[in-house]
Amino acid sequence: MTSVNWGLLGPEMLASERRTRTLGVGAAVRAFNDLAVPSLGGVKYSKSIFLACLGIYVAEKSRETGAQVSNIQVTNAIEALASCLSYRMNGWQSDPRLQGNTKLRGKEDLSFKIVSQHNFYVTQPMRMATVQTLPGLGLVEGKGERFNSYCLSVHGVDLVRAGCEGFKCHSNGIADFLVKWVLGDARNPNQLGLLQAISPLEELAQGAKGIIKERLVSGNDDNAKRRRNALTWVGNIAETPCVNWKKPNELTDEHFKDIQSGAYFFMLRDKIMQLLDVVETDVANAKSGKLVMSEGFSINVVKSLSNVKSAADQFISVQHDPSPEKLATLLAKECLQASDAQIILSLVDRDNVVLKVRDKEIVKGPAFGGTQAELEEEYQGVSLFPAGVSYRLWNLHVLNLDFNGQLELWLNKKESV
């Protein structure tokens, strides 16, 4: 059995950096995702955007008092606190809106000093999905995409205020209490008002959602138009699913071509990942601990290689490659070389993390794991978009459900499938 190190939906980051296979096409991955839904990043829930802005706001206010804290430190701590309080509320049941179920169990001391420690929470918090979203939607100001350099814009401050409005914790406003918490306030943060304000399981106030949606669709530049059109499209997708590549009226020709080309590219990449996993399994099973090209390939490798070639043909047939320096086309052409051995050697050479090429033999790389288990795809069995489309379109679909107060219903339906 094989796994797909990048799922079909193609996120830009993996949970395990050690096994990250970029194949030298990371710029193409980012480009195709950004062409589909510009500046959305990895966000799919409005509450995660609010929590990121709240963390920056509290960090700014804390620094004004002389506290030596960073945006990342405070935001991670607030997110960890929100997750911990949420798990306590729901009896430690897993939920796609929460992280750290195992890591947070048994944590009793919820002081900022403890919660902000590096090993208290997960290594890749939800905040990381917002790094491109916040500046892209004009919620923060700052150079580049360094979270610690961000400061809230007027829109970001408005979002924080709208999300906190009406909630109190120990008779303080939510942001005011959290600043005091950062500064060492020892009062128990496990209070209903704070939970309702920051828990990812609690719906964000409609006014705050409205600010996020307005930032998503406002503007007349091409990125804003693409986001606006994509949001309209996903809003209609349940009634008119697009599974056969018939262009929807909501999108421009160029936008749709970019999405289609990106989908074929992502499917090619995933087939390559499957092939590399099959090769990894064969290396693990080989007595010599390596694969020699002259000895031929197993039936599983031959089958996976055939799938790679078909995917490469399909991508090239679209005749549309907006990726930087045609990186996607270069990858596809490497998968159509005359020699099967050369194709595999080229792809393993691109990997160079899990597997490596040595003297035209395939050997174990520094991140070698062995036999891989099959990975279920997140949206398996759901037919709304054509196969392979950017994960950002799925995330935008979920975010739109969130805007319309339908998120809880959708999550419950998904769990019952």
Side-chain angles (χ1 to χ4, degrees):
M1 302 295 286
T2 62
S3 71
V4 183
N5 283 344
W6 267 305
L8 180 62
L9 305 178
E12 285 127 276
M13 295 187 67
L14 295 179
S16 173
E17 292 184 8
R18 182 173 175 270
R19 281 186 61 88
T20 299
R21 286 165 158 160
T22 66
L23 301 181
V25 291
V29 173
R30 292 188 293 272
F32 278 119
N33 282 323
D34 222 34
L35 287 167
V37 189
S39 303
L40 187 63
V43 166
K44 74 164 76 166
Y45 306 119
S46 63
K47 203 65 175 279
S48 61
I49 299 176
F50 163 73
L51 285 175
C53 288
L54 177 63
I56 295 171
Y57 182 87
V58 172
E60 289 177 349
K61 294 300 180 182
S62 300
R63 286 194 293 269
E64 288 176 7
T65 70
Q68 299 297 309
V69 292
S70 69
N71 290 348
I72 289 177
Q73 181 186 16
V74 174
T75 305
N76 285 1
I78 291 175
E79 185 183 314
L81 177 63
S83 294
C84 197
L85 296 180
S86 299
Y87 279 127
R88 288 184 179 187
M89 177 187 68
N90 79 349
W92 294 94
Q93 298 178 51
S94 296
D95 190 284
R97 293 164 291 182
L98 299 176
Q99 294 192 150
N101 185 292
T102 301
K103 198 78 179 284
L104 296 174
R105 282 180 183 267
K107 306 288 189 182
E108 297 297 332
D109 188 343
L110 298 183
S111 66
F112 176 77
K113 180 180 179 180
I114 298 299
V115 175
S116 63
Q117 289 179 359
H118 182 69
N119 63 349
F120 185 90
Y121 188 43
V122 296
T123 56
Q124 294 204 8
M126 293 177 278
R127 164 193 61 77
M128 295 179 68
T130 71
V131 171
Q132 186 187 24
T133 315
L134 300 183
L137 302 189
L139 295 169
V140 299
E141 298 169 350
K143 296 180 179 179
E145 292 185 356
R146 290 181 60 251
F147 196 87
N148 274 339
S149 70
Y150 291 163
C151 62
L152 289 188
S153 67
V154 172
H155 305 295
V157 173
D158 288 345
L159 173 59
V160 170
R161 290 173 176 167
C164 293
E165 188 176 3
F167 298 112
K168 296 283 186 179
C169 184
H170 293 297
S171 300
N172 297 117
I174 296 302
D176 291 338
F177 173 77
L178 288 172
V179 171
K180 292 179 179 180
W181 177 67
V182 169
L183 298 178
D185 192 322
R187 289 176 293 178
N188 184 5
N190 191 5
Q191 304 295 316
L192 180 61
L194 183 62
L195 174 69
Q196 291 174 325
I198 69 174
S199 170
L201 303 184
E202 297 288 333
E203 191 169 347
L204 185 64
Q206 200 59 43
K209 289 183 185 180
I211 292 172
I212 296 174
K213 185 174 181 179
E214 186 275 332
R215 297 313 306 159
L216 192 69
V217 301
S218 65
N220 291 314
D221 59 284
D222 186 59
N223 284 350
K225 291 177 182 177
R226 286 193 174 216
R227 288 195 300 270
R228 188 160 55 243
N229 292 342
L231 186 64
T232 303
W233 182 33
V234 301
N236 299 327
I237 201 71
E239 289 74 27
T240 55
C242 178
V243 294
N244 58 0
W245 289 117
K246 179 181 178 182
K247 190 188 84 66
N249 295 329
E250 296 91 341
L251 303 182
T252 64
D253 289 343
E254 190 70 13
H255 193 180
F256 187 66
K257 286 179 182 177
D258 290 340
I259 291 173
Q260 184 180 34
S261 178
Y264 287 146
F265 167 71
F266 290 136
M267 287 191 286
L268 169 60
R269 182 192 59 180
D270 289 338
K271 295 303 180 185
I272 292 172
M273 296 300 179
Q274 291 174 338
L275 170 62
L276 291 173
D277 280 348
V278 171
V279 172
E280 182 180 5
T281 297
D282 281 7
V283 170
N285 293 334
K287 291 182 179 179
S288 62
K290 61 184 179 180
L291 287 188
V292 181
M293 295 293 97
S294 60
E295 296 178 356
F297 309 113
S298 69
I299 188 171
N300 289 333
V301 169
V302 172
K303 181 180 177 180
S304 292
L305 183 57
S306 177
N307 291 337
V308 167
K309 292 178 182 179
S310 294
D313 275 327
Q314 191 174 41
F315 173 79
I316 289 177
S317 70
V318 177
Q319 296 184 325
H320 180 76
D321 181 7
S323 67
E325 299 179 354
K326 306 297 182 185
L327 288 174
T329 298
L330 291 174
L331 178 64
K333 288 182 176 179
E334 278 189 31
C335 297
L336 295 172
Q337 298 176 81
S339 165
D340 288 351
Q342 190 56 50
I343 294 172
I344 292 175
L345 288 172
S346 294
L347 295 178
V348 170
D349 200 41
R350 279 179 174 269
D351 170 12
N352 208 39
V353 173
V354 178
L355 300 167
K356 298 175 72 72
V357 175
R358 182 183 298 159
D359 298 327
K360 294 188 177 182
E361 296 176 344
I362 298 174
V363 299
K364 300 174 183 179
F368 184 84
T371 303
Q372 299 299 300
E374 189 167 358
L375 184 68
E376 290 187 8
E377 293 163 5
E378 184 177 2
Y379 298 97
Q380 189 174 16
V382 180
S383 296
L384 293 177
F385 299 98
V389 295
S390 169
Y391 79 106
R392 288 194 187 181
L393 285 165
W394 286 100
N395 284 3
L396 186 64
H397 169 59
V398 176
L399 185 60
N400 186 60
L401 294 174
D402 189 354
F403 287 155
N404 296 329
Q406 300 171 321
L407 180 59
E408 200 73 43
L409 177 63
W410 181 80
L411 288 170
N412 290 336
K413 281 185 177 179
K414 189 180 174 193
E415 288 177 1
S416 65
V417 173

